[in-house]
Amino acid sequence: MIVPATTLFQSLLVFAASATCVWIAGARLAYLADALADRFKLAKSLVGLLLLSLATSLPEVATTLGAAVQQARDLVLNNLFGGIALQTAILAMSDFWARGPITNYPRKANHALEATLLVLLLSVALVVTSLGQTFVIAGVGLGSVAIAVIYCGAIWLLRRYDDSSDWVPVDLPDPDPLAFPAPTGLSAAGNAALIWQAVAACLAILVFGLLLVVFAQRIADQTGLGTGFIGVTLLAAATSLPELTTSIAAVRIGAYTMAISNIFGSNLIMLVLVFPADILFRAGPILQDTSRTVSLALGFGLVVTAIYLTGLIVRRKPRWGEFGMDSILVLMTFLGSLAAYYFAR
């Protein structure tokens, strides 16, 4: 049922205000993560993979678990899997602020390894959803358990491989184009102050991110659109806003590897969240009897990740202005996915 325009306008207004707060907190968190990486001599790719990706995924965690408790299977899966292509498109948009294709900057193979492991997890999830969860342990599908185990192995492998130098690219671009330097006050702040500011930014992302989710669902009801279509579009966009702002902020200050690992790490988290969601979803295995949009979302996630994996390996690639061909293809694929979701809703 369509509601009056005034009520819809109020929901859109709160949604926009919450989005602004998430944007500010996300940008601040990217600056803080960069400063903490320098302060504690940590690899920025590792900070992006473990710290930034987890912090920006807090709205997805809360939304997914809340929807699972409410037994809303389609909302859980469409939000999680629909966000993968969207967040990869966010990385593509970050090319606008980078000096050249963003995939030219990584100096180690760990980003290509992140993409490869993400392809593996996406493939496993697609196979499980296609076959259905035949084997169930205490109400949890074996496929969800397999995804969780593979995720743990992937993080262990990435952490172990982070210090490796057996793959070194040549003909690298300038590593430190700082057209937009980070706030100067961070260099004078103490370690405790940086950490507390990071915690505050994470809490702001969580609180206002959840408001985004609540009002995205409300807008879905007020406009009469289905939860499947809203899950892979508006709701996925709402929960992916922290990744957008942190990635753009990281690229603006030259922290390219942190931006890439932030997106790939967030996408890995989106997949492993299937396991706790399956535990809370008591109507059977959550990956069983899924909708068409779930399979489509996994398929498009595979396509955009494979495109960027190719871009990370091929150092010299066609470009259009500041955009690499890989980023252009990712954006085109994402736009195509929106049309596919609409017709499959």
Side-chain angles (χ1 to χ4, degrees):
M1 180 181 67
I2 307 300
V3 301
T6 304
T7 305
L8 179 59
F9 177 76
Q10 291 172 346
S11 297
L12 290 171
L13 191 63
V14 176
F15 185 88
S18 300
T20 301
C21 294
V22 169
W23 184 278
I24 295 171
R28 186 66 178 178
L29 182 61
Y31 299 142
L32 290 165
D34 183 68
L36 287 169
D38 291 336
R39 191 72 58 88
F40 292 101
K41 303 294 189 293
L42 299 173
K44 293 186 180 181
S45 60
L46 185 64
V47 172
L49 178 67
L50 298 181
L51 172 62
L52 205 56
S53 63
L54 180 59
T56 55
S57 295
L58 288 174
E60 282 97 339
V61 174
T63 305
T64 298
L65 300 185
V69 169
Q70 297 172 11
Q71 310 303 300
R73 185 205 311 265
D74 282 347
L75 196 59
V76 171
L77 298 181
N78 286 314
N79 175 40
L80 288 180
F81 299 153
I84 292 174
L86 173 59
Q87 290 181 171
T88 311
I90 286 171
L91 187 59
M93 288 186 286
S94 300
D95 252 7
F96 181 79
W97 288 270
R99 290 175 55 181
I102 195 172
T103 49
N104 281 357
Y105 285 93
R107 280 150 166 72
K108 296 190 294 185
N110 52 339
H111 295 89
L113 182 59
E114 289 170 10
T116 303
L117 293 171
L118 181 55
V119 166
L120 172 62
L121 273 172
L122 283 165
S123 301
V124 170
L126 186 57
V127 169
V128 172
T129 55
S130 299
L131 291 177
Q133 301 252 40
T134 305
F135 301 99
V136 180
I137 303 173
V140 178
L142 188 60
S144 302
V145 176
I147 289 173
V149 171
I150 295 172
Y151 173 82
C152 293
I155 295 300
W156 175 84
L157 182 60
L158 288 168
R159 181 65 187 91
R160 184 180 179 88
Y161 193 78
D162 188 66
D163 296 326
S164 175
S165 59
D166 57 352
W167 183 90
V168 181
V170 296
D171 192 21
L172 294 168
D174 180 9
D176 296 309
L178 300 179
F180 302 92
T184 54
L186 296 181
S187 59
N191 293 343
L194 290 177
I195 292 172
W196 278 113
Q197 287 184 53
V199 171
C202 289
L203 288 175
I205 288 173
L206 176 60
V207 172
F208 289 105
L210 288 177
L211 276 177
L212 280 175
V213 171
V214 169
F215 280 90
Q217 293 171 312
R218 187 169 298 179
I219 291 168
D221 294 335
Q222 292 169 347
T223 56
L225 296 173
T227 57
F229 177 68
I230 285 296
V232 294
T233 53
L234 182 60
L235 186 56
T239 55
S240 296
L241 188 60
E243 284 84 1
L244 173 63
T245 179
T246 52
S247 296
I248 290 176
V251 168
R252 283 165 62 96
I253 61 175
Y256 301 112
T257 57
M258 187 166 68
I260 296 172
S261 290
N262 174 32
I263 295 301
F264 286 159
S266 294
N267 285 345
L268 286 168
I269 290 173
M270 300 280 263
L271 283 162
V272 77
L273 283 176
V274 168
F275 178 65
D278 205 351
I279 294 175
L280 296 173
F281 185 78
R282 304 318 302 161
I286 199 167
L287 292 178
Q288 195 169 40
D289 301 324
T290 57
S291 64
R292 289 178 61 194
T293 52
V294 171
S295 297
L296 277 173
L298 288 169
F300 281 115
L302 276 169
V303 173
V304 294
T305 306
I307 291 172
Y308 262 140
L309 176 58
T310 305
L312 287 165
I313 295 173
V314 179
R315 309 299 292 188
R316 292 180 178 272
K317 45 188 165 284
R319 54 191 290 182
W320 184 63
E322 295 297 333
F323 283 86
M325 183 56 66
D326 49 0
S327 293
I328 294 173
L329 290 174
V330 165
L331 288 173
M332 291 174 61
T333 302
F334 172 67
L335 292 176
S337 72
L338 296 181
Y341 297 146
Y342 179 79
F343 288 111
R345 75 190 193 283

